[in-house]
Amino acid sequence: SKFIVGLTGGIGSGKTTVANLFAAQGITLVDADIVARDVVAQGSVGLKAIEAHFGAEILTLEGELDRAKLRQRIFNHPDEREWLNQLLHPMIRAEMLAQVEKATSAYVIMVVPLLFENGLDRLVNRTLVVDISPELQVNRTVKRDNVDVSQVNNIINSQCSRSEKLAKADDVIDNQGEISSLKRQVLALHQQYLQLSGNDNA
Ligand code: ATP
């Protein structure tokens, strides 16, 4: 089976930027955010189960999942949140592993924003954390998304802390510098992962 690197990091840390640099080396990406959307897409088994549980009012007029309404229904309802997680987490895990097995690259990068928080680090062979200071997280996210500082701080505080992530990481990329420094770090890790996955042809 495939060698899997779990790529994570807080909001605005540079996960997408780093993932794209690995993809440029021919490495297949499996993106948890995309899979999480696919398992509740129109016509999916996941969406049918959600409709059966919450009623048809959980759908938009177009028949898609009304995410705002779902958020409302689970907000302050831990039992409903738990029901939803019990439904979706196994589906997301299974679909991510199916995509890994289909991949033909030397190893696979799984991009998972909440890798440690959701225990998905158990699925991977190695964890890679993109690290930046909370100040830079705020600066870059505000610049990218045009949101307020307090919103970004709330998200940072809901995620596992910088020190916890660093303590759990097998590998760390420092993304506080220039993109050129990021590229050098990715190329070095790429060589390391080719060796670890037994694909270095040495
Ligand atoms: P999120 O979890 O919020 O989706 P992310 O971890 O995927 O974020 P990116 O979108 O890759 O982070 O990066 C956040 C922003 O910072 C983007 O606008 C990106 O272009 C910018 N950025 C990333 N790395 C650097 C860097 N080294 N220097 C300057 N800007 C950067």
Side-chain angles (χ1 to χ4, degrees):
S1 62
K2 282 255 146 188
F3 189 82
I4 310 174
V5 177
L7 172 64
T8 194
I11 180 171
S13 58
K15 293 176 293 297
T16 306
T17 309
V18 167
N20 289 337
L21 291 171
F22 279 103
Q25 298 303 310
I27 297 304
T28 301
L29 307 178
V30 174
D31 187 314
D33 284 344
I34 294 175
V35 171
R37 257 180 272 137
D38 288 349
V39 300
V40 294
Q42 208 158 8
S44 65
V45 174
L47 189 55
K48 293 244 165 36
I50 290 172
E51 183 187 350
H53 183 83
F54 289 102
E57 64 269 23
I58 208 73
L59 305 180
T60 65
L61 288 176
E62 291 75 34
E64 287 174 45
L65 180 61
D66 188 335
R67 287 166 188 286
K69 209 168 260 171
L70 183 63
R71 264 197 302 278
Q72 265 175 24
R73 293 287 296 267
I74 64 174
F75 184 74
N76 284 334
H77 295 280
D79 48 334
E80 296 288 36
R81 180 185 296 270
E82 185 58 23
W83 180 88
L84 191 66
N85 286 342
Q86 298 268 1
L87 172 76
L88 296 181
H89 285 182
M91 296 179 75
I92 293 168
R93 268 198 300 277
E95 175 56 25
M96 286 203 296
L97 290 176
Q99 291 188 12
V100 165
E101 290 312 320
K102 264 189 262 164
T104 55
S105 58
Y107 62 92
V108 172
I109 298 272
M110 229 185 225
V111 189
V112 189
L114 300 178
L115 184 74
F116 299 123
E117 292 86 340
N118 288 338
L120 289 168
D121 52 330
R122 285 189 300 257
L123 293 186
V124 307
N125 299 98
R126 204 159 175 94
T127 59
L128 170 58
V129 166
V130 186
D131 179 61
I132 63 173
S133 69
E135 292 73 25
L136 271 178
Q137 280 184 279
V138 171
N139 289 347
R140 289 184 186 166
T141 305
V142 165
K143 197 165 158 195
R144 184 193 57 189
D145 297 341
N146 200 20
V147 289
D148 14 294
V149 172
S150 67
Q151 254 174 288
V152 182
N153 274 319
N154 285 341
I155 293 171
I156 290 175
N157 291 328
S158 76
Q159 298 179 339
C160 103
S161 71
R162 184 183 189 185
S163 58
E164 268 179 279
K165 283 201 260 276
L166 289 176
K168 289 184 171 176
D170 293 311
D171 302 307
V172 177
I173 288 183
D174 176 355
N175 189 23
Q176 304 190 108
E178 310 265 321
I179 296 288
S180 56
S181 151
L182 202 59
K183 285 185 183 158
R184 278 195 299 277
Q185 295 177 75
V186 167
L187 289 179
L189 285 167
H190 176 60
Q191 290 308 318
Q192 200 189 327
Y193 296 153
L194 288 177
Q195 284 190 2
L196 286 170
S197 60
N199 286 294
D200 58 332
N201 299 319

